[in-house]
Amino acid sequence: QVVETQFVLSFVHRFLEHRGATTYFAFCYPFSYTECQDMLAQLDGRFQDCRHMSPSSPLDSVYYHRELLCHSLDKLRVDLLTVTSCHGMQEKRELRLDKLFPDTSTPRPRRFTGKRVFFLSSRVHPGETPSSFVFNGFLDFILREEDPRAQMLRRMFVFKLIPMLNPDGVVRGHYRTDSRGVNLNRQYLHPDPELHPAVYGAKAVLLYHHVHSRVLPGSPDWRTFVSPLSTSSLSTKCPNPPVPDAEAALSELNKANNARNSPGARSCLDQDTRPSDSADRDAWILPSSHADEHCEEGAQRPPSAPLPEATEPPEPIAPRDSGLAYYVDLHGHASKRGCFMYGNSFSDENDQVENMLFPKLISLNSPHFDFTGCNFSEKNMYARDKRDGQSKEGSGRVAVYKALGIIHSAPLPLCHPSPHTLLSPCAPRAPLSVACAVQVGRAVAVAALDMAECNPWPRIVLSEHTCLGNLRAWMLKHVRGLRGAGGGPRRREGVGTPPRSSTGLPTSASDNSLARARSFSNGTSGSGGSQQDSPRIRASPSFTFGSPRP
């Protein structure tokens, strides 16, 4: 029934416990706003010395910084965490962006050279609590002080993390909406700082680091600083591509906000809410003069750049030149089971290979991640919700791609944990436990190491691919097979042929993939006798992919 504009679900339960016992009812394992704040308070105490760190601090020290990004509509905290090492630390601090970071008593974090940003967010849909467990697993892993994998990750990236994007919905017990009943994951195209402060803040941080965290030519490669704990030599391949000059970079700030979001690409709902004065919205990620007055000591205001002429638009920053390396938004799925990822669709096959390579590497690092359940289709980028008709074009995944063009922009949904059902080989797509979700979070972090070929303890060498180059070649063949099957003549499928998933694979392969991963981890063959491998590029034993044979 509806009570004061709120839906109320009623049911009857017979209590069998003794009188006075406490009984909890939950759709899945809960993780509340209070628990999140308690966890962050413990981390504040654990890393309280980080506030005194300087460029002269030991390089492999963990740099942890917590700050208030903004307040929600209900005046709850939306926290932003920064985690990295002291490699490349500057005396300068990041600038305060307009309408964000209201707590001026807390300084902004230090700036770092030679590092790109890995952005991770969670709980934009408040009822999807599995996202918090994946987030916690990821955060716990990158904060490990003695693990050489975590050390290498901190050398390579500056991690920007938002543990709870929608605290109002979490506190109120909502499933997908904020206190106003708005789905915040459809507001990323044109977020309003007054109505959607957390989404506005998240996008502002993303656009800011897209420009200001680029790796400049001549910057040191921090991966060459080999940890004494490392058991293997690390890649010394220079990851520093050339970048546009400073003036083009500053003008890109204006371009990135709305140039890719042309009027023809907007949804009808966004057109109705778009302010008429677009000039004010173009500069919303630039530090205002008011904000500059509160910049910490050592922070310098960037030189002003003339606005680009209408006839000569600035060149966009190429995805490989962006200061943003990864954007991952964590979710939970109420109907699909297992853990998977939704990715964007790229017309360029090499970009699509890189797009699909990251979740494939996650699957090699976690038996709980189902690559065959992933969806990289263009249809899934612009589909409309059955509930309210809103387009996924306004989701973080698609909007960030449209604004920045980066390849690794994806949400990671997983099914809701069941308190009585654990993942097992006989039921490979059963609901995940909290421990499984935490392990997936660790696998997301390790996969970023594998992408850069900097994992001192790689698991890919145990697969049939043996190295990233072979896996990339296999993925290229797989992408070409999918596009050939979709664009050209398709093999007729009989009644007994199982339907194909969004990756082009039979759903039966998806159902059995986790069991194969478990079998492979035990040293047994993971593929059936009917699956034939290519003589040149063999399929991974963890999952039986491969395009239909002629």
Side-chain angles (χ1 to χ4, degrees):
Q1 58 182 328
V2 179
V3 179
E4 295 181 356
T5 71
Q6 297 290 321
F7 290 101
V8 177
L9 173 67
S10 303
F11 57 93
V12 177
H13 174 77
R14 183 185 294 268
F15 292 92
L16 301 179
E17 297 84 359
H18 59 82
R19 186 181 297 274
T22 301
T23 302
Y24 295 93
F25 297 90
F27 181 61
C28 58
Y29 288 113
F31 189 78
S32 67
Y33 172 78
T34 301
E35 289 178 288
C36 179
Q37 292 299 309
D38 290 343
M39 179 190 73
L40 297 180
Q42 292 179 5
L43 292 177
D44 292 345
R46 174 183 167 188
F47 296 103
Q48 57 182 340
D49 294 337
C50 290
R51 67 189 69 176
H52 305 300
M53 283 185 173
S54 67
S56 60
S57 300
L59 293 181
D60 268 320
S61 300
V62 177
Y63 179 82
Y64 166 89
H65 185 275
R66 176 190 178 191
E67 58 187 328
L68 177 65
L69 175 64
C70 61
H71 285 109
S72 67
L73 297 182
D74 287 348
K75 306 304 180 184
L76 300 177
R77 288 183 62 97
V78 178
D79 291 285
L80 176 65
L81 308 181
T82 302
V83 176
T84 186
S85 68
C86 292
H87 294 83
M89 180 185 289
Q90 302 181 35
E91 291 289 350
K92 299 179 182 179
R93 294 183 180 269
E94 295 180 15
L95 301 177
R96 291 189 184 275
L97 305 182
D98 193 23
K99 301 180 181 178
L100 297 172
F101 307 107
D103 184 8
T104 56
S105 64
T106 302
R108 293 298 325 279
R110 299 277 188 175
R111 298 177 67 173
F112 296 84
T113 58
K115 296 182 180 183
R116 301 171 75 195
V117 166
F118 190 121
F119 188 95
L120 185 75
S121 57
S122 176
R123 299 296 287 277
V124 67
H125 291 153
E128 298 171 358
T129 60
S131 62
S132 284
F133 303 124
V134 177
F135 182 97
N136 295 344
F138 184 96
L139 178 60
D140 176 75
F141 184 85
I142 64 173
L143 287 175
R144 292 182 179 181
E145 300 183 55
E146 304 300 329
D147 192 315
R149 298 168 297 175
Q151 289 181 347
M152 184 55 65
L153 282 168
R154 293 192 296 268
R155 294 175 186 180
M156 291 172 55
F157 300 109
V158 175
F159 292 94
K160 296 290 181 177
L161 312 111
I162 301 180
M164 202 163 277
L165 275 167
N166 188 355
D168 296 352
V170 173
V171 171
R172 291 170 176 260
H174 293 184
Y175 187 72
R176 287 173 64 85
T177 64
D178 66 355
S179 58
R180 299 172 55 248
V182 174
N183 182 355
L184 294 180
N185 200 37
R186 297 295 181 267
Q187 311 303 321
Y188 275 89
L189 278 177
H190 311 297
D192 188 291
E194 304 299 329
L195 300 178
H196 325 114
V199 172
Y200 174 90
K203 188 175 182 181
V205 171
L206 288 165
L207 294 177
Y208 176 83
H209 288 288
H210 170 61
V211 174
H212 289 287
S213 291
R214 292 175 303 146
V215 176
L216 301 176
S219 297
D221 185 355
W222 301 119
R223 299 180 299 178
T224 59
F225 289 78
V226 181
S227 168
L229 296 176
S230 178
T231 57
S232 63
S233 61
L234 302 176
S235 170
T236 58
K237 180 173 60 176
C238 180
N240 307 336
V243 296
D245 56 28
E247 181 172 325
L250 286 171
S251 60
E252 173 62 21
L253 279 168
N254 291 315
K255 181 180 178 62
N257 186 35
N258 69 343
R260 293 179 183 268
N261 301 331
S262 60
R266 301 174 200 157
S267 65
C268 297
L269 293 175
D270 289 323
Q271 287 180 348
D272 295 338
T273 58
R274 176 76 171 172
S276 57
D277 187 2
S278 59
D280 293 338
R281 300 297 295 269
D282 292 347
W284 63 288
I285 58 172
L286 287 171
S288 66
S289 58
H290 173 74
D292 285 345
E293 296 174 0
H294 301 286
C295 288
E296 286 71 33
E297 182 180 357
Q300 298 179 1
R301 186 176 181 179
S304 59
L307 292 176
E309 296 292 337
T311 57
E312 297 181 3
E315 290 295 326
I317 296 178
R320 64 186 179 91
D321 299 330
S322 172
L324 184 65
Y326 292 87
Y327 166 68
V328 180
D329 189 32
L330 301 173
H331 290 260
H333 207 288
S335 56
K336 289 188 65 173
R337 295 196 172 189
C339 183
F340 50 94
M341 183 174 283
Y342 286 160
N344 295 316
S345 177
F346 294 85
S347 58
D348 183 86
E349 65 179 16
N350 291 320
D351 289 342
Q352 188 69 357
V353 166
E354 295 303 308
N355 181 33
M356 299 173 67
L357 202 59
F358 182 56
K360 176 60 179 176
L361 288 169
I362 298 176
S363 72
L364 293 180
N365 286 284
S366 174
H368 314 304
F369 188 91
D370 185 8
F371 181 77
T372 60
C374 298
N375 191 328
F376 308 98
S377 67
E378 184 176 8
K379 178 181 178 181
N380 196 45
M381 295 175 63
Y382 302 101
R384 293 188 176 274
D385 294 334
K386 295 180 180 179
R387 299 177 183 86
D388 51 23
Q390 289 184 305
S391 172
K392 289 186 178 180
E393 187 180 9
S395 66
R397 163 177 62 103
V398 181
V400 170
Y401 160 68
K402 289 173 69 68
L404 310 182
I406 67 168
I407 294 175
H408 301 298
S409 171
L412 192 150
L414 66 163
C415 73
H416 288 278
S418 168
H420 303 298
T421 308
L422 298 180
L423 196 70
S424 61
C426 61
R429 303 194 67 192
L432 300 178
S433 67
V434 170
C436 292
V438 170
Q439 196 279 329
V440 170
R442 295 195 296 267
V444 172
V446 175
L449 277 182
D450 289 330
M451 285 290 293
E453 299 182 88
C454 289
N455 188 350
W457 302 335
R459 291 187 178 182
I460 191 174
V461 298
L462 303 177
S463 72
E464 290 191 11
H465 303 294
T466 68
C467 68
L468 186 66
N470 290 344
L471 179 59
R472 184 175 277 112
W474 172 86
M475 187 65 73
L476 177 60
K477 180 181 179 182
H478 176 60
V479 168
R480 288 175 175 175
L482 294 180
R483 294 185 172 181
R490 298 189 61 180
R491 181 183 62 178
R492 280 189 73 180
E493 297 178 352
V495 177
T497 304
R500 296 190 171 269
S501 67
S502 56
T503 58
L505 300 164
T507 54
S508 59
S510 177
D511 292 338
N512 294 318
S513 58
L514 296 183
R516 294 192 181 98
R518 284 292 182 88
S519 299
F520 175 67
S521 64
N522 293 331
T524 60
S525 175
S527 57
S530 61
Q531 184 76 21
Q532 299 294 329
D533 293 335
S534 167
R536 292 178 178 270
I537 305 176
R538 295 178 296 176
S540 167
S542 300
F543 303 101
T544 54
F545 295 116
S547 57
R549 303 189 63 78

PDB file of all heavy atoms in Angstrom, residues 23 129 172 214 237 277 342 525:
ATOM      1  N   THR A  23      15.525  -9.566  15.857  1.00  0.00           N
ATOM      2  CA  THR A  23      15.431 -10.202  14.548  1.00  0.00           C
ATOM      3  C   THR A  23      15.541  -9.134  13.470  1.00  0.00           C
ATOM      4  O   THR A  23      14.903  -8.087  13.573  1.00  0.00           O
ATOM      5  CB  THR A  23      14.095 -10.955  14.384  1.00  0.00           C
ATOM      6  OG1 THR A  23      13.981 -11.939  15.417  1.00  0.00           O
ATOM      7  CG2 THR A  23      14.019 -11.640  13.025  1.00  0.00           C
ATOM      8  N   THR A 129      23.457  -3.402  -1.866  1.00  0.00           N
ATOM      9  CA  THR A 129      24.526  -3.494  -0.871  1.00  0.00           C
ATOM     10  C   THR A 129      25.714  -4.343  -1.301  1.00  0.00           C
ATOM     11  O   THR A 129      26.812  -4.133  -0.774  1.00  0.00           O
ATOM     12  CB  THR A 129      23.975  -4.025   0.464  1.00  0.00           C
ATOM     13  OG1 THR A 129      23.420  -5.328   0.255  1.00  0.00           O
ATOM     14  CG2 THR A 129      22.898  -3.106   1.013  1.00  0.00           C
ATOM     15  N   ARG A 172      17.201   6.028   4.284  1.00  0.00           N
ATOM     16  CA  ARG A 172      15.747   5.925   4.177  1.00  0.00           C
ATOM     17  C   ARG A 172      15.274   4.524   3.785  1.00  0.00           C
ATOM     18  O   ARG A 172      14.072   4.247   3.808  1.00  0.00           O
ATOM     19  CB  ARG A 172      15.226   6.938   3.149  1.00  0.00           C
ATOM     20  CG  ARG A 172      15.336   8.397   3.591  1.00  0.00           C
ATOM     21  CD  ARG A 172      15.022   9.326   2.427  1.00  0.00           C
ATOM     22  NE  ARG A 172      15.032  10.734   2.834  1.00  0.00           N
ATOM     23  CZ  ARG A 172      13.945  11.444   3.109  1.00  0.00           C
ATOM     24  NH1 ARG A 172      12.754  10.879   3.022  1.00  0.00           N
ATOM     25  NH2 ARG A 172      14.036  12.705   3.464  1.00  0.00           N
ATOM     26  N   ARG A 214      47.004  14.000 -16.126  1.00  0.00           N
ATOM     27  CA  ARG A 214      47.664  13.372 -17.261  1.00  0.00           C
ATOM     28  C   ARG A 214      49.152  13.199 -16.973  1.00  0.00           C
ATOM     29  O   ARG A 214      49.762  13.997 -16.272  1.00  0.00           O
ATOM     30  CB  ARG A 214      47.460  14.204 -18.527  1.00  0.00           C
ATOM     31  CG  ARG A 214      46.013  14.209 -19.015  1.00  0.00           C
ATOM     32  CD  ARG A 214      45.838  15.129 -20.191  1.00  0.00           C
ATOM     33  NE  ARG A 214      46.258  16.482 -19.856  1.00  0.00           N
ATOM     34  CZ  ARG A 214      46.826  17.314 -20.716  1.00  0.00           C
ATOM     35  NH1 ARG A 214      47.045  16.921 -21.954  1.00  0.00           N
ATOM     36  NH2 ARG A 214      47.172  18.524 -20.342  1.00  0.00           N
ATOM     37  N   LYS A 237      58.373  -0.639 -19.553  1.00  0.00           N
ATOM     38  CA  LYS A 237      57.839   0.047 -20.735  1.00  0.00           C
ATOM     39  C   LYS A 237      57.263   1.400 -20.325  1.00  0.00           C
ATOM     40  O   LYS A 237      56.473   1.496 -19.400  1.00  0.00           O
ATOM     41  CB  LYS A 237      56.759  -0.832 -21.369  1.00  0.00           C
ATOM     42  CG  LYS A 237      56.130  -0.238 -22.598  1.00  0.00           C
ATOM     43  CD  LYS A 237      55.200  -1.245 -23.246  1.00  0.00           C
ATOM     44  CE  LYS A 237      54.095  -1.653 -22.293  1.00  0.00           C
ATOM     45  NZ  LYS A 237      53.131  -2.567 -22.936  1.00  0.00           N
ATOM     46  N   ASP A 277      21.244  28.780 -19.951  1.00  0.00           N
ATOM     47  CA  ASP A 277      22.545  29.438 -19.970  1.00  0.00           C
ATOM     48  C   ASP A 277      23.621  28.369 -19.915  1.00  0.00           C
ATOM     49  O   ASP A 277      24.064  27.973 -18.859  1.00  0.00           O
ATOM     50  CB  ASP A 277      22.675  30.403 -18.787  1.00  0.00           C
ATOM     51  CG  ASP A 277      23.959  31.227 -18.870  1.00  0.00           C
ATOM     52  OD1 ASP A 277      24.719  31.077 -19.845  1.00  0.00           O
ATOM     53  OD2 ASP A 277      24.181  32.020 -17.951  1.00  0.00           O
ATOM     54  N   TYR A 342      28.983  -4.401 -17.163  1.00  0.00           N
ATOM     55  CA  TYR A 342      28.400  -3.763 -18.327  1.00  0.00           C
ATOM     56  C   TYR A 342      29.436  -2.800 -18.895  1.00  0.00           C
ATOM     57  O   TYR A 342      29.934  -1.931 -18.169  1.00  0.00           O
ATOM     58  CB  TYR A 342      27.130  -2.995 -17.967  1.00  0.00           C
ATOM     59  CG  TYR A 342      25.931  -3.868 -17.678  1.00  0.00           C
ATOM     60  CD1 TYR A 342      24.849  -3.375 -16.965  1.00  0.00           C
ATOM     61  CD2 TYR A 342      25.876  -5.186 -18.126  1.00  0.00           C
ATOM     62  CE1 TYR A 342      23.738  -4.162 -16.696  1.00  0.00           C
ATOM     63  CE2 TYR A 342      24.778  -5.984 -17.867  1.00  0.00           C
ATOM     64  CZ  TYR A 342      23.709  -5.463 -17.150  1.00  0.00           C
ATOM     65  OH  TYR A 342      22.619  -6.259 -16.901  1.00  0.00           O
ATOM     66  N   SER A 525      40.937 -30.342 -16.366  1.00  0.00           N
ATOM     67  CA  SER A 525      40.512 -29.670 -17.589  1.00  0.00           C
ATOM     68  C   SER A 525      39.190 -28.994 -17.375  1.00  0.00           C
ATOM     69  O   SER A 525      38.277 -29.556 -16.786  1.00  0.00           O
ATOM     70  CB  SER A 525      40.423 -30.679 -18.728  1.00  0.00           C
ATOM     71  OG  SER A 525      39.907 -30.055 -19.878  1.00  0.00           O
TER      72      SER A 525
END
